[in-house]
Amino acid sequence: MILKMGKVEKKSEHPFAVITGASQGLGKAFARTLASQGVNLVLVSLPWQNVEGLANSLHKAYGVQTQCYETDFKADENIERLCNWLNTNFSIFVLINNAGIGGTRRFGEVPSSYIDTIIQVNVKATSLLTHRLLPNLKEQKRAYILNVSSIAAFSPVGYKTVYPASKSFVHSFSLGLSEELKESNISVSVINPGAMKTNAEITSRIEKQGLIGKLTLLDPNKVARYSLAKMFEGKRVIMLNPLSWFISVVLPTRIKVPMMTKIIKRELTVG
């Protein structure tokens, strides 16, 4: 584990938002949006993704307090160390569980580590972080949890297999927790975005899917702004793209699973 952080002399008096997977894509967009709103941030990412540079730039641009922490959620002990550090040093009023991992592979050809990693990062890390930070969130006047699921949560699809199943867990977990905490100070929301223009490689891969891929590709900055606004309003389920929603939710399973599998299979040809 590699840790980078500014000096923390005592527990913060002002509340912070914690964002996992904060160094790029949607996580970075969340960070910029919240910083522009004057929210103090703890940015969590994998090592070597220059999250420290992002934290410094947001501090300079918006004058908010920023801290960062680099670690890998593949190990439970890393999650535990992060939570201990957060609970010791910060009052947390927003938790955004954005870190996640997927991929497009033939299931029979993947190593077991591929399966383990998706379940560990998407399912277990989300659950453990929420569980360990819940007492901190309960101490605040008002607090918010935003979990990043996926439109894939509503539709099984070949060549992704484990990923949609893991995001179905995130969606179900979020709704159950929201109901459990509805009389508390904590609001729980879940967003179900489709593919996003996070970098050139991903954009190219999604566009390889054809017309539907291009039509459902989202801008992470717009997703972040819309999702955060709805989160602060207390909305439980946040849907983002009408076409993706129609394909994944409205179409019968016998139609959407073969159709989406055929589309996703095109990604296998991307080098």
Side-chain angles (χ1 to χ4, degrees):
M1 180 188 71
I2 296 177
L3 167 66
K4 291 183 179 179
M5 59 185 179
K7 187 177 182 182
V8 180
E9 296 181 352
K10 62 178 181 178
K11 189 165 184 175
S12 63
E13 296 179 0
H14 301 288
F16 278 70
V18 175
I19 306 170
T20 67
S23 62
Q24 57 187 348
L26 183 57
K28 188 175 183 178
F30 280 137
R32 290 192 183 281
T33 302
L34 287 173
S36 72
Q37 297 172 358
V39 177
N40 299 322
L41 301 172
V42 180
L43 308 180
V44 182
S45 82
L46 286 167
W48 315 117
Q49 294 190 344
N50 195 30
V51 71
E52 189 173 27
L54 175 62
N56 290 335
S57 69
L58 294 178
H59 170 68
K60 291 177 181 177
Y62 301 105
V64 296
Q65 298 180 54
T66 57
Q67 296 284 337
C68 56
Y69 192 106
E70 296 186 345
T71 193
D72 192 332
F73 288 163
K74 290 178 185 177
D76 286 357
E77 56 267 28
N78 290 349
I79 300 171
E80 185 69 17
R81 290 191 190 103
L82 168 62
C83 291
N84 288 339
W85 179 73
L86 289 169
N87 284 326
T88 298
N89 292 291
F90 304 98
S91 297
I92 300 167
F93 85 112
V94 174
L95 169 62
I96 301 180
N97 286 306
N98 170 69
I101 190 168
T104 305
R105 305 275 296 273
R106 289 181 172 86
F107 183 74
E109 297 176 359
V110 301
S112 60
S113 59
Y114 174 87
I115 301 169
D116 290 340
T117 298
I118 292 177
I119 295 172
Q120 173 70 22
V121 175
N122 296 0
V123 174
K124 198 170 184 183
T126 297
S127 303
L128 290 176
L129 278 163
T130 304
H131 180 261
R132 290 285 284 110
L133 298 181
L134 203 58
N136 195 321
L137 291 159
K138 286 182 176 180
E139 291 176 358
Q140 314 312 314
K141 183 177 180 180
R142 185 66 176 153
Y144 305 86
I145 297 171
L146 178 61
N147 292 328
V148 178
S149 179
S150 169
I151 198 67
F154 302 107
S155 178
V157 57
Y159 304 105
K160 285 193 178 291
T161 55
V162 182
Y163 174 77
S166 73
K167 289 302 186 178
S168 292
F169 171 90
V170 173
H171 185 82
S172 176
F173 168 74
S174 301
L175 294 186
L177 187 62
S178 177
E179 184 65 21
E180 184 176 330
L181 298 175
K182 68 179 181 180
E183 302 298 334
S184 75
N185 65 312
I186 303 173
S187 172
V188 182
S189 303
V190 59
I191 65 172
N192 297 279
M196 280 175 278
K197 301 175 183 178
T198 52
N199 58 51
E201 186 275 327
I202 290 178
T203 300
S204 174
R205 176 167 55 81
I206 300 302
E207 289 180 344
K208 188 75 174 179
Q209 295 176 3
L211 181 61
I212 290 180
K214 293 177 181 179
L215 290 175
T216 57
L217 199 56
L218 300 171
D219 180 340
N221 295 301
K222 292 180 180 179
V223 171
R225 288 193 296 270
Y226 180 80
S227 300
L228 289 170
K230 293 300 179 182
M231 178 195 77
F232 285 125
E233 291 175 7
K235 188 169 181 61
R236 287 190 180 189
V237 179
I238 303 169
M239 302 297 290
L240 296 148
N241 186 299
L243 179 57
S244 295
W245 181 85
F246 177 80
I247 293 171
S248 299
V249 181
V250 178
L251 282 183
T253 299
R254 61 183 174 81
I255 295 175
K256 68 185 177 184
V257 173
M259 181 181 74
M260 291 306 300
T261 298
K262 184 177 180 179
I263 292 170
I264 292 299
K265 188 177 180 180
R266 296 171 186 164
E267 292 185 28
L268 296 173
T269 64
V270 180

